[in-house]
Amino acid sequence: MSKRILYVFIFFVLAMLFMLCLMDDGSGENPVVDMVSVIDPSEQITFDPELWKEEKGWGYAHRNAMLQDLVTDPGIRKLTKMEILELLGEPTRINQQYLYYLVDQKRAFILPLHTKTLVIKFTPADSIEWMKIHE
């Protein structure tokens, strides 16, 4: 039984490599598809709660461009957990005192290759302990 699973896994990996080769158009560009970033990441924009919550395709089109402004804003760090939830909307994931917001994700087909996430940790009193960008 374990040999069968190994063969299926090897077949899957080879099939994915073959499909990536088919996507190569000879231009020398990476065949990885950027499913989220519509805005050039080097283009910084001011944080806007409505744009932050706006979904596009498989993710959020404006979050990567707003992330630096959001993280460096000293007023954000004074907010409580409930105020953060109102400002940023529903997080991608919640784990006890942590909120995780998907910022950017690069994919090949349906497989995620690189993910950028904003992680916010709260104290037991529901104030922000720290904010980090996880890649």
Side-chain angles (χ1 to χ4, degrees):
M1 181 69 172
S2 64
K3 280 187 177 182
R4 182 179 288 174
I5 293 171
L6 178 64
Y7 291 143
V8 168
F9 176 76
I10 291 171
F11 174 78
F12 177 76
V13 169
L14 291 174
M16 290 303 298
L17 289 172
F18 177 73
M19 293 301 290
L20 285 172
C21 289
L22 288 178
M23 288 177 59
D24 187 7
D25 60 359
S27 66
E29 294 181 13
N30 191 344
V32 174
V33 179
D34 187 358
M35 299 297 289
V36 177
S37 294
V38 175
I39 297 174
D40 183 355
S42 64
E43 181 184 322
Q44 300 293 318
I45 60 175
T46 305
F47 175 73
D48 178 351
E50 296 307 314
L51 285 178
W52 176 267
K53 297 171 191 173
E54 185 179 301
E55 289 187 62
K56 194 167 228 171
W58 289 50
Y60 302 89
H62 306 287
R63 286 186 177 182
N64 201 26
M66 285 186 235
L67 187 60
Q68 193 63 34
D69 187 51
L70 175 67
V71 173
T72 58
D73 184 354
I76 294 289
R77 297 186 184 273
K78 297 176 185 174
L79 300 177
T80 65
K81 189 174 186 177
M82 289 306 296
E83 291 169 330
I84 288 289
L85 287 168
E86 286 178 26
L87 183 69
L88 302 180
E90 189 67 28
T92 309
R93 186 167 65 109
I94 300 174
N95 184 5
Q96 296 174 358
Q97 293 300 97
Y98 296 86
L99 298 180
Y100 300 85
Y101 288 91
L102 176 66
V103 174
D104 191 26
Q105 192 169 62
K106 298 201 185 323
R107 296 176 167 266
F109 302 106
I110 60 169
L111 300 174
L113 299 177
H114 179 264
T115 302
K116 183 188 284 188
T117 306
L118 172 65
V119 183
I120 306 171
K121 182 181 182 191
F122 293 91
T123 65
D126 281 345
S127 62
I128 294 177
E129 185 173 325
W130 52 255
M131 295 173 70
K132 295 183 180 180
I133 301 166
H134 183 266
E135 292 191 66

